[in-house]
């Protein structure tokens, strides 16, 4: 007999843990990835407003290396860092560290791509009016790229939901942990199915909201 009360209680708690992990790691990955993305854009040897080939190559290599790591391996490698910062390497809070670091290079590439999509003529017009580089970045590039940035953040959040589910394999907490420990390992199929359904619903809701915000920003341009 299916214990609906247990399913709702466990799934509800795990959902809150997942939302906490994803929300915090989204903020921290943006803090880490936004400056890197801006640097990648402005230092590009071909299209950058302040071309710096050596700096660009250093940053792009770091981003590429971090992006090449499978998340499940990265989270294990970052156990010592999580333990150093938070005193533990398991649980919801500890998972935020590897989630943030794993998503940061992805965010950096999204930022870089979005900024490079801005019409070069707009940048040239700003330069001709005497705008400084910081003014071009914060008053031209970022505002003009906002629809693409919102779309990229939406994609980042969705990826982080997937990462957080994988973190459950190593005691990360949240829906992934619930699905693996209570669903798979204890042969509790209803819990497993409920966890998967909630993850799918979260992804659909976030994608819907992100798409609506992006569409509204496009209309205002």
């Amino acid at each position: 007999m299916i214990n609906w009360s247990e399913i709702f209680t466990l799934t509800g708690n795990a959902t809150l843990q997942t939302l906490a992990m994803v929300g915090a790691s989204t903020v921290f990955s943006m803090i880490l990835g936004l400056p890197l993305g801006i640097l990648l854009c402005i230092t590009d040897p071909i299209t950058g407003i302040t071309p710096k080939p050596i700096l660009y190559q250093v940053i792009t290599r770091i981003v590429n290396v971090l992006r090449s790591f499978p998340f499940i391996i990265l989270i294990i490698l970052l156990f010592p860092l999580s333990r150093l910062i938070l005193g533990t390497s398991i649980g919801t809070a500890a998972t935020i560290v590897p989630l943030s670091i794993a998503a940061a290079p992805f965010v950096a590439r999204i930022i870089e791509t979005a900024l490079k999509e801005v019409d070069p003529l707009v940048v040239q017009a700003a330069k001709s009016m005497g705008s400084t580089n910081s003014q071009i970045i914060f008053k031209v590039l970022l505002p003009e790229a906002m629809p693409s940035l919102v779309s990229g953040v939406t994609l980042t959040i969705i990826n982080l939901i997937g990462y957080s589910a994988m973190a459950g394999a190593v005691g990360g907490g949240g829906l992934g942990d619930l699905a693996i420990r209570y669903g798979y390992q204890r042969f509790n199929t209803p819990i497993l199915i409920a966890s998967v359904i909630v993850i799918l619903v979260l992804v659909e809701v976030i994608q819907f909201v992100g798409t609506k915000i992006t569409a509204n920003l496009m209309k205002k341009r």
Side-chain angles (χ1 to χ4, degrees):
M1 183 176 178
I2 298 177
N3 188 337
W4 292 106
S5 176
E6 180 188 38
I7 291 175
F8 286 128
T9 300
L10 291 175
T11 305
N13 291 335
T15 301
L16 292 177
Q17 291 176 354
T18 294
L19 291 175
M21 283 191 293
V22 172
S25 56
T26 298
V27 172
F28 289 125
S29 65
M30 290 298 296
I31 292 173
L32 294 171
L34 180 60
L36 288 176
I38 292 174
L39 281 173
L40 285 169
C41 175
I42 66 174
T43 61
D44 189 295
I46 300 175
T47 61
I49 58 176
T50 56
K52 296 183 184 300
I54 296 177
L55 178 60
Y56 177 82
Q57 289 299 325
V58 170
I59 297 173
T60 200
R61 291 293 180 274
I62 293 173
V63 169
N64 288 343
V65 168
L66 289 175
R67 286 188 66 189
S68 67
F69 271 96
F71 177 69
I72 197 69
I73 297 175
L74 183 62
I75 193 173
I76 293 172
L77 292 176
L78 291 174
F79 274 163
L81 180 60
S82 297
R83 193 178 297 110
L84 177 65
I85 295 174
L86 299 168
T88 180
S89 59
I90 60 173
T92 303
T95 306
I96 293 173
V97 175
L99 280 175
S100 302
I101 294 175
F106 181 76
V107 170
R109 285 302 184 192
I110 286 176
I111 301 294
E112 178 193 13
T113 302
L115 296 181
K116 286 183 176 180
E117 289 177 353
V118 175
D119 190 343
L121 295 178
V122 176
V123 177
Q124 291 176 9
K127 282 184 177 180
S128 66
M129 290 187 290
S131 298
T132 63
N133 288 337
S134 61
Q135 289 174 329
I136 292 174
I137 293 169
F138 294 104
K139 294 185 178 181
V140 178
L141 290 176
L142 289 175
E144 286 291 320
M146 194 56 65
S148 296
L149 292 176
V150 171
S151 180
V153 170
T154 301
L155 185 58
T156 300
I157 296 173
I158 291 173
N159 278 346
L160 282 170
I161 292 175
Y163 286 164
S164 70
M166 285 189 285
V170 287
L175 291 165
D177 183 52
L178 179 66
I180 292 171
R181 288 199 299 119
Y182 282 85
Y184 178 73
Q185 293 179 351
R186 300 186 185 185
F187 303 100
N188 193 331
T189 304
I191 290 289
L192 179 60
I193 293 174
S195 301
V196 173
I197 290 174
V198 174
I199 291 173
L200 292 176
V201 170
L202 286 176
V203 170
E204 287 297 325
V205 170
I206 291 168
Q207 184 64 68
F208 175 79
V209 173
T211 301
K212 292 291 289 185
I213 294 175
T214 301
N216 289 335
L217 289 172
M218 290 294 291
K219 290 178 182 179
K220 294 178 181 179
R221 295 182 67 176

